[in-house]
Amino acid sequence: MRVQVAIIGSGPAGLLLGQLLYKAGISNVIIEQRSKEYVLGRIRAGVLEQGTVDLMDEAGVGQRMHAEGLVHDGTELCFKGERHRIDFKKLVNKTVMIYGQTEVTRDLMDAREAEGLTTVYEAHNVSVHDFDGAHPKVRYEQDGVTHEVQCDFIAGCDGFHGVCRASVPQDALRTYERVYPFGWLGILSDTPPVSHELIYCNHERGFALCSQRSPTRSRYYVQCSLDDKAENWSDEAFWAELRLRLDEEAAANLITGPSIEKSIAPLRSFVAEPLRFGTLFLAGDAAHIVPPTGAKGLNLAASDVRFLWQAMVDHYRGNQVALEHYSERCLSRIWKAERFSWWMTSLMHRFPDTGEFGQKIQEAELAYLVGSTAAATSLAENYVGLPFQD
Ligand code: APR
Ligand code: PHB
């Protein structure tokens, strides 16, 4: 098979890139190690910045998102038993869209299938070759047969544990990492959300988050220890712990129900530099990871894809500038999102060394945040997504 771009990974980054390249007339194939059902079964965050919403529209897959997504004008911070609203609309005249990543992935998969584009699912032993030259190749096995894809470029959209970053000579790569000493125990339930917007809670027992997927489906998280296990938590124990971390009104209004998904996710900050190696380009979780506190994971993946899509369109029109500057343009935005995600995580969570003094400092910073237009504006402009510096 020969295409202009071989995309490794059928997550949001790979699918969004594939759709944008197709609409630009650039041939591409997606090679995915898992089944379509497995990819769709992943439960991930669901806050889309306006830039991501715009990109979904650009890709021609925004219809269901606009029909079913929930536009939020703000969010709430809960600390010392009280809730305080950060009004995005008033502070920065922007909003966010609540629309599950699973739905984003589903919409992109459906569009790809409708266009008759090729996604190879359950591709085994995927490997990337000769990306330091002009004739890169991708090889994979399926049904006992080894296949080869010849291409102009390889887009490494294969996530944190993918093959692409792992295939780069390690002396050509610099990585930066911070692993957090706690996890998030998350529950999905077919119950109405406790509030019409998200609630981020700082509590001395630990962080909690009230999120949602629709008017009838909620997503909740409580900070837990890294050696905890989801099976150690009954639904009743989860709801009781969540109530302890909420303000009185939210605790009283919380509608509980059976969990339809329960899991623990670790938290990490990670960046690989650079993002380009000859004709191999990293995008999304393959290049960076953020703790979910700032809801940046999907949005950063979309941000990389936006730069890569535009750079490849320019390349085939004879202009190499954007391709040559891909890595530095992505990293400028990546590091600002990494900083915001680290800051939100540091502010909202109970660390082993937080102690009583640290708790008072967190509460003082939160009180300053909700009492200062300047501070609240800073949070708002980072949360809704910083402008693209084109
Ligand atoms: N060969 C082929 N596919 C692979 C390989 C491989 N060797 N390794 C991983 N993959 C696939 C995974 O199965 C997954 O479907 O690459 C895809 C990567 O998708 P994501 O991990 O979702 O990463 P990305 O598309 O960058 O999206 C980032 O997803 O994980 C969340 O929080 C993250 O919201 C963020 C978003
Ligand atoms: C989610 O809905 O899963 C979610 C929302 C906001 C976050 C993290 C996760 O910051």
Side-chain angles (χ1 to χ4, degrees), residues 44-47 184 198 200 209 211-213 219 221 292-295 383:
R44 291 282 193 278
V47 176
W184 279 18
L198 273 54
Y200 288 82
L209 170 60
S211 184
Q212 51 198 263
R213 292 290 179 270
R219 178 72 166 159
Y221 299 95
T293 326
Y383 192 93

Side-chain angles (χ1 to χ4, degrees), residues 45-64:
V47 176
L48 306 188
E49 297 172 1
Q50 186 58 49
T52 304
V53 169
D54 295 344
L55 217 43
M56 290 285 283
D57 287 334
E58 180 73 35
V61 296
Q63 299 82 347
R64 194 163 71 99

Side-chain angles (χ1 to χ4, degrees), residues 9 11-13 32-34 42 44 101 126 157-158 162 284-285 297-298:
E32 164 62 50
Q33 67 176 1
R34 298 289 189 170
R42 290 195 191 107
R44 291 282 193 278
Q101 179 172 312
V126 177
C157 301
D158 50 346
D285 274 15
L298 176 54

Side-chain angles (χ1 to χ4, degrees), residues 17-217:
L17 180 63
Q19 197 60 20
L20 290 166
L21 292 177
Y22 162 73
K23 291 185 80 73
I26 298 172
S27 64
N28 65 87
V29 64
I30 295 179
I31 299 162
E32 164 62 50
Q33 67 176 1
R34 298 289 189 170
S35 69
K36 174 181 175 182
E37 294 70 26
Y38 184 95
V39 176
L40 280 172
R42 290 195 191 107
I43 304 292
R44 291 282 193 278
V47 176
L48 306 188
E49 297 172 1
Q50 186 58 49
T52 304
V53 169
D54 295 344
L55 217 43
M56 290 285 283
D57 287 334
E58 180 73 35
V61 296
Q63 299 82 347
R64 194 163 71 99
M65 172 187 67
H66 289 294
E68 298 177 13
L70 305 168
V71 176
H72 281 195
D73 292 351
T75 195
E76 292 191 289
L77 302 179
C78 178
F79 60 99
K80 293 179 74 177
E82 291 184 3
R83 264 188 284 161
H84 305 264
R85 187 162 184 268
I86 302 290
D87 189 335
F88 303 147
K89 192 73 179 162
K90 181 180 169 191
L91 290 163
V92 295
N93 193 30
K94 284 193 177 176
T95 59
V96 292
M97 170 82 77
I98 304 299
Y99 190 63
Q101 179 172 312
T102 305
E103 308 320 314
V104 168
T105 305
R106 192 191 313 280
D107 293 343
L108 287 163
M109 282 179 173
D110 289 351
R112 189 166 181 83
E113 280 177 16
E115 305 287 4
L117 303 178
T118 304
T119 301
V120 179
Y121 289 105
E122 297 181 273
H124 302 300
N125 298 323
V126 177
S127 56
V128 291
H129 306 272
D130 306 329
F131 50 82
D132 54 354
H135 303 288
K137 302 174 189 66
V138 178
R139 293 194 187 104
Y140 65 90
E141 292 167 15
Q142 194 166 57
D143 303 328
V145 176
T146 298
H147 300 265
E148 180 172 286
V149 177
Q150 295 167 7
C151 51
D152 299 334
F153 299 110
I154 300 172
C157 301
D158 50 346
F160 184 67
H161 301 289
V163 66
C164 289
R165 191 180 75 246
S167 300
V168 169
Q170 291 311 295
D171 60 1
L173 201 63
R174 288 181 306 283
T175 60
Y176 306 83
E177 184 169 48
R178 173 155 299 181
V179 177
Y180 297 89
F182 41 74
W184 279 18
L185 168 62
I187 201 168
L188 200 61
S189 59
D190 280 333
T191 54
V194 70
S195 176
H196 71 288
E197 290 175 333
L198 273 54
I199 307 175
Y200 288 82
C201 307
N202 169 291
H203 192 279
E204 54 200 15
R205 295 178 65 88
F207 170 77
L209 170 60
C210 301
S211 184
Q212 51 198 263
R213 292 290 179 270
S214 75
T216 60
R217 178 165 286 192

